[in-house]
Amino acid sequence: MISNSKSRKVFQVINTVVIIAVTASCLIPLLNVLAISLSNSQAIVANEVGIWPKMFTADAYSYVMKSTKFWTSAAVSLKRVVIGVPLSILLTLLAAYPLSKPELAFPARKYYVAYLLVVMVFNGGLIPTYYVISQLNMIDTIWALTLPCAVNIFNIILVMNFFRNIPAELEESAMLDGASQWTVLTRIYLPLSKPSVATITLFCLVNHWNSWFDGLIYSNYTYNYPLQSYLQTIVTSTRDALFEGDVKAIMDMMNLNTTNIKSAQIFISMLPLLVIYPFLQKYFTAGLTLGSVKG
Amino acid sequence: MIFHAMLFLPCLFLLIFNYLPIAGIVMAFQDFHPGLGFLGSKWVGMENFHTLCLLPDTWPAIRNTLIIAVGKIIGNLVIPVAFALMLNEVRRKSFKRTVQTITYLPYFLSWVVLSGILINFLSPGSTADACGLFNTILMKTGLIKEPVYFLGTKSTFRGTMIVSDIWKNFGFNTIVYLAALTGVDPGLYEAAAVDGAGRLRQTFHITLPGIAPFIALMTILSIGNVLSAGFDQIFNLYSPAVYETGDIIDTLVYRLGLINQQYSLSAAVGVFKSAVSMILIVSGYKLADKYAGYRVF
């Protein structure tokens, strides 16, 4: 039933053009930052850089490669990912498994659900949370960046719903053979839940990599900043505050200015996400449909 | 027993990092000084809330929050639905997939990264700095004569926040709605075509009603965000020049509390926001449960 009327063809053309224009609007700013990072400072100041580098140079990248501040903060980011993501997954599984059981098997379930719901709809706000973290002496430690966000209720719900769709017969037969709940979780549920575990792993990974505000407020010293917090100070700083005196003179000699150095740092910080982007695409959508199956 | 043991650790984390701060709300009713602690600080009742009402920054912040948040809620609903319907008309799979891949990308980038990109892209230029690509394009096509300082002008700031937020999220939201579109019964389209309905009529009488419950659900669930205008975005893009139209509740909380060290006042704003949001979120869930059978747990 495909109609090939004239108006249909006109519509198809306009539709395609609009879609391409909208898509280009997503791509152009990203290409622009990449082009600037690879351009000579003179070309940038002369306003010649569009989505393609002008007077190509990778000097900004070699400058960033030598920047200790950049790498120190990248190391903090890596550390929070390595500690934070596994911890978060462990806590999510520990909570999701019991909560996936029906009320008959786990009568106290409703109290735990209420306990979690309160946290979902209400929070203490910025200042009380900050005060608690500082009273726990966590300021300037990696724990301030990994522990407070370790339990994510939405991830728990997502995994819980996935667990619920696993046939109860599997559990029953394992129990008949003498397996404990712990064995059922690790030997039966976990291997069957790879897609949902992959999804929450990616959620946690992206969250940790992109978080910047906690690093900003829970660190007194800039060397404790994760990459995004460090970037934040650069992005929002006025231009020459960053580079003074001798550094400024050296920069003028090379083909650098704050714009291409900023752009290079922005682009490098995006790289890890671009690398895992195919997985993100696959599992984030899968995660949505997993989460939408309600028991 | 084993279930309680498993839940112990997650619950302990929530107790420390979520319930303790909720208890810390007490400071909103005190003249709180960190040195004196909760027990040593003076109890002042509702005085902080009274002070807030008199503070010149409070009402503009609430107004801006509502305007920006409502704009985002509407835009993040209408644009993705429209874009999903448009993509749905495209036959070539590879084209569809490429478009989705590209438009989905900004969703994964942090507002820090996107702010860095946008500050550059939207820059009006200055003596020391080049004009951003966006203004350059607008001037070359003759749409404007002078560069516009989108992020530094009171009248354009809120619009820029709304549009850039939609820009970041519409690719992701589109995929959600496209998934909903696949759930519409194809038989309905065939029947409508036999009855002589054109594509446009099919869209309005079959597709839209088909995904209407889903759209309604997404709207209801977004009501809870009415007081969250997007701290990450605005904090990185605003400046004192646009506080009048760009300051929101969350940025006010930050400046009052962590910059001016007015712990109690800041906590009081936070309590106000949390309380109103809670009412909205709970009503949203109730509505969603009643009309769409949606349950969180």
Side-chain angles (χ1 to χ4, degrees), chain B residues 98-279:
Chain B
T98 314
V99 168
Q100 285 184 27
T101 302
I102 294 170
T103 54
Y104 197 19
L105 183 59
Y107 176 78
F108 292 102
L109 304 177
S110 73
W111 269 117
V112 170
V113 164
L114 289 179
S115 300
I117 292 174
L118 286 178
I119 289 169
N120 233 323
F121 189 65
L122 299 175
S123 159
S126 64
T127 45
D129 192 13
C131 177
L133 187 59
F134 190 60
N135 271 311
T136 310
I137 294 172
L138 288 185
M139 286 199 292
K140 280 201 174 134
T141 50
L143 286 170
I144 51 169
K145 286 204 175 66
E146 291 286 305
V148 179
Y149 192 5
F150 291 96
L151 295 171
T153 314
K154 282 175 198 156
S155 56
T156 54
F157 186 80
R158 288 195 290 235
T160 311
M161 290 307 101
I162 294 170
V163 172
S164 58
D165 187 72
I166 297 168
W167 171 75
K168 181 186 199 280
N169 294 316
F170 84 91
F172 175 78
N173 292 327
T174 297
I175 292 184
V176 178
Y177 288 109
L178 273 178
L181 280 178
T182 56
V184 181
D185 180 7
L188 291 174
Y189 292 108
E190 282 162 34
V194 170
D195 288 344
R199 296 293 285 210
L200 197 64
R201 292 193 68 163
Q202 289 180 25
T203 302
F204 280 102
H205 292 281
I206 297 172
T207 316
L208 275 181
I211 59 170
F214 189 71
I215 296 177
L217 179 65
M218 296 296 274
T219 316
I220 290 169
L221 293 180
S222 64
I223 293 174
N225 290 330
V226 160
L227 289 187
S228 305
F231 175 82
D232 282 19
Q233 175 194 23
I234 290 171
F235 184 73
N236 286 315
L237 291 172
Y238 81 158
S239 55
V242 293
Y243 278 177
E244 198 185 311
T245 58
D247 193 22
I248 56 168
I249 294 174
D250 292 322
T251 49
L252 181 67
V253 167
Y254 173 81
R255 287 205 316 279
L256 273 180
L258 292 181
I259 305 294
N260 300 346
Q261 308 283 327
Q262 306 253 30
Y263 276 40
S264 290
L265 271 188
S266 178
V269 186
V271 170
F272 165 74
K273 190 199 153 183
S274 291
V276 176
S277 295
M278 181 184 72
I279 296 168

Side-chain angles (χ1 to χ4, degrees), chain A:
Chain A
M1 275 301 176
I2 301 162
S3 62
N4 276 320
S5 63
K6 201 174 167 193
S7 64
R8 178 76 192 149
K9 273 183 188 151
V10 173
F11 167 79
Q12 283 290 16
V13 171
I14 296 172
N15 193 36
T16 311
V17 169
V18 174
I19 289 175
I20 291 176
V22 170
T23 309
S25 83
C26 288
L27 203 54
I28 288 172
L30 302 184
L31 290 176
N32 184 226
V33 78
L34 179 61
I36 289 172
S37 72
L38 288 168
S39 295
N40 187 313
S41 54
Q42 288 162 18
I44 298 169
V45 175
N47 212 7
E48 286 171 355
V49 185
I51 58 170
W52 201 254
K54 281 276 155 63
M55 298 168 73
F56 181 90
T57 166
D59 284 359
Y61 285 89
S62 38
Y63 179 88
V64 175
M65 287 295 158
K66 284 185 220 132
S67 153
T68 15
K69 272 193 171 172
F70 184 84
W71 291 110
T72 313
S73 61
V76 175
S77 280
L78 196 66
K79 204 167 151 191
R80 77 179 287 176
V81 166
V82 170
I83 297 174
V85 174
L87 177 72
S88 209
I89 293 167
L90 175 74
L91 292 172
T92 305
L93 292 172
L94 283 178
Y97 181 69
L99 292 176
S100 72
K101 301 296 170 205
E103 203 112 300
L104 271 174
F106 183 31
R109 181 181 180 275
K110 51 182 175 293
Y111 302 112
Y112 285 103
V113 166
Y115 186 79
L116 265 64
L117 273 176
V118 169
V119 174
M120 262 181 98
V121 299
F122 196 77
N123 66 75
L126 174 68
I127 298 302
T129 310
Y130 175 82
Y131 186 68
V132 167
I133 305 285
S134 68
Q135 287 304 101
L136 291 168
N137 283 324
M138 283 186 176
I139 302 289
D140 278 313
T141 66
I142 195 74
W143 309 117
L145 309 181
T146 47
L147 301 188
C149 55
V151 178
N152 181 310
I153 313 264
F154 290 95
N155 288 349
I156 294 176
I157 294 175
L158 194 146
V159 177
M160 178 191 80
N161 282 322
F162 194 86
F163 281 171
R164 277 183 176 170
N165 291 333
I166 293 174
E169 288 80 8
L170 288 176
E171 185 194 340
E172 284 159 18
S173 58
M175 299 289 252
L176 280 178
D177 291 340
S180 67
Q181 289 287 357
W182 186 254
T183 318
V184 173
L185 169 59
T186 52
R187 297 285 177 80
I188 298 175
Y189 275 61
L190 259 190
L192 287 173
S193 310
K194 275 182 198 144
S196 67
V197 175
T199 307
I200 60 161
T201 307
L202 289 168
F203 276 140
C204 292
L205 206 66
V206 172
N207 272 343
H208 268 291
W209 190 259
N210 281 344
S211 289
W212 57 277
F213 189 60
D214 48 3
L216 197 69
I217 61 173
Y218 299 144
S219 313
N220 290 325
Y221 302 100
T222 49
Y223 54 77
N224 287 321
Y225 279 179
L227 189 55
Q228 296 283 331
S229 310
Y230 164 72
L231 265 188
Q232 197 271 339
T233 56
I234 291 184
V235 161
T236 53
S237 72
T238 45
R239 34 200 29 269
D240 284 325
L242 237 52
F243 308 100
E244 317 102 6
D246 295 344
V247 186
K248 183 91 177 64
I250 297 167
M251 278 174 52
D252 290 340
M253 269 158 56
M254 297 164 76
N255 305 312
L256 301 172
N257 65 8
T258 37
T259 316
N260 59 7
I261 293 176
K262 264 187 201 179
S263 304
Q265 307 198 49
I266 288 172
F267 196 76
I268 299 175
S269 81
M270 278 165 56
L271 273 181
L273 290 182
L274 294 180
V275 170
I276 60 167
Y277 186 53
F279 301 100
L280 292 177
Q281 245 194 321
K282 187 175 163 198
Y283 284 110
F284 263 60
T285 350
L288 280 173
T289 39
L290 287 175
S292 63
V293 184
K294 299 293 166 195

